[in-house]
Amino acid sequence: MQTNPTHASLVTVGDSFTEGMSDLLPDGSYRGWADLLAARMAARSPGFRYANLAVRGKLIGQIVDEQVDVAAAMGADVITLVGGLNDTLRPKCDMARVRDLLTQAVERLAPNCEQLVLMRSPGRQGPVLERFRPRMEALFAIIDDLSKEHGAVVVDLYGADSLADPRLWDVDRLHLTAEGHRRVAEAVWQSLGYEPEDPEWHAPIPATPPPGWIMRRTADVRFARQYLLPWVGRRLTGRSSGDGLPPKRPELLPYEDLA
């Protein structure tokens, strides 16, 4: 990996994690780690171009069908691909199919960029995701194998203690806070060979007194009512939170035109 490289373009592919939920801006849009990373890269490279094709809720099959060929055709210096985690959270998940689709995606993207970046997505602590953890880890094993075969960089967010902390996750318990996204941007930045701006991004955040029983139960009720039940409803009816939504930044344009 080149030290302190200069890249002229970035294309990001994926779902809500790459779209930037829940790093909410005042105008109601989302920022997220990919926008933060693009801003840093643009500061190093005049004329830097950036596209973000991610759409919340997308399964790996949808990412392959809707985003991968578009990204490959852009010929960016760096392409990031994060997908498959939504599949592992479905009641019925065919991991062999997930492997085949991820393989297709990597085989299309790797020859069409200078550097392909894959990720082992972060996983928060807590009982809700524990039942899905074996699938998540199977997904990460697939990603590790593909990275070795195709020369992709793997950013290990799953192994970062800080990103497992519930305090870095939004109230929906599925998406990172602004601080979580900042740390992810730093992790990808360093994995691309740039000089660290925060060498301790992966370190646990300082301990704080845990919330009391009443506050925890209130948060549980709010989570179930506002997020868990609607999420279950979408799974049962075959709907997605991203249905009908366009890609976040569908064209590879100069960063200043999108900022």
Side-chain angles (χ1 to χ4, degrees):
M1 178 62 62
Q2 180 183 358
T3 302
N4 288 326
T6 299
H7 297 108
S9 52
L10 167 69
V11 174
T12 60
V13 173
D15 51 34
S16 60
F17 175 69
T18 302
E19 184 184 346
M21 298 172 72
S22 291
D23 186 4
L24 192 64
L25 294 171
D27 65 359
S29 64
Y30 293 107
R31 182 178 54 179
W33 66 264
D35 285 11
L36 294 168
L37 177 66
R40 288 196 193 183
M41 296 171 76
R44 293 280 189 110
S45 179
F48 179 85
R49 296 178 299 152
Y50 170 49
N52 187 328
L53 306 180
V55 178
R56 68 195 72 172
K58 294 299 183 181
L59 302 173
I60 186 59
Q62 295 170 309
I63 291 172
V64 170
D65 290 343
E66 300 167 13
Q67 300 178 31
V68 166
D69 284 345
V70 176
M74 290 178 172
D77 287 355
V78 177
I79 298 178
T80 70
L81 167 64
V82 187
L85 195 62
N86 283 333
D87 296 77
T88 69
L89 300 179
R90 296 292 176 115
K92 295 180 180 179
C93 174
D94 183 347
M95 290 304 298
R97 182 171 184 272
V98 170
R99 173 185 284 276
D100 289 345
L101 289 165
L102 273 171
T103 300
Q104 290 179 37
V106 171
E107 288 178 345
R108 294 181 197 176
L109 293 173
N112 289 287
C113 63
E114 200 173 282
Q115 182 62 67
L116 178 63
V117 178
L118 307 176
M119 297 189 204
R120 304 170 100 239
S121 303
R124 61 161 283 162
Q125 299 167 354
V128 174
L129 291 180
E130 284 304 317
R131 61 174 294 191
F132 302 107
R133 201 168 297 278
R135 288 183 188 170
M136 293 169 60
E137 293 180 350
L139 174 67
F140 300 152
I142 294 169
I143 289 169
D144 289 344
D145 289 344
L146 288 171
S147 71
K148 294 173 184 175
E149 184 175 352
H150 295 277
V153 169
V154 176
V155 184
D156 185 13
L157 305 174
Y158 185 69
D161 291 340
S162 66
L163 293 179
D165 193 313
R167 291 172 293 175
L168 288 183
W169 293 75
D170 192 49
V171 293
D172 67 0
R173 304 181 184 182
L174 287 173
H175 301 107
L176 291 168
T177 62
E179 172 60 15
H181 279 283
R182 184 197 68 79
R183 290 177 182 239
V184 172
E186 178 68 31
V188 182
W189 174 260
Q190 292 185 27
S191 295
L192 287 170
Y194 291 99
E195 184 177 352
E197 294 187 11
D198 177 12
E200 302 300 321
W201 70 266
H202 48 73
I205 60 178
T208 57
W213 185 88
I214 293 177
M215 186 175 293
R216 294 199 306 273
R217 298 293 78 78
T218 300
D220 288 343
V221 170
R222 179 188 176 192
F223 162 70
R225 182 177 64 250
Q226 292 186 224
Y227 301 103
L228 181 59
L229 292 178
W231 183 83
V232 171
R234 290 194 298 272
R235 299 293 80 76
L236 294 175
T237 57
R239 294 178 292 115
S240 167
S241 58
D243 287 347
L245 294 179
K248 182 175 184 179
R249 303 191 190 280
E251 298 181 75
L252 187 60
L253 295 174
Y255 178 79
E256 57 267 24
D257 293 346
L258 301 170

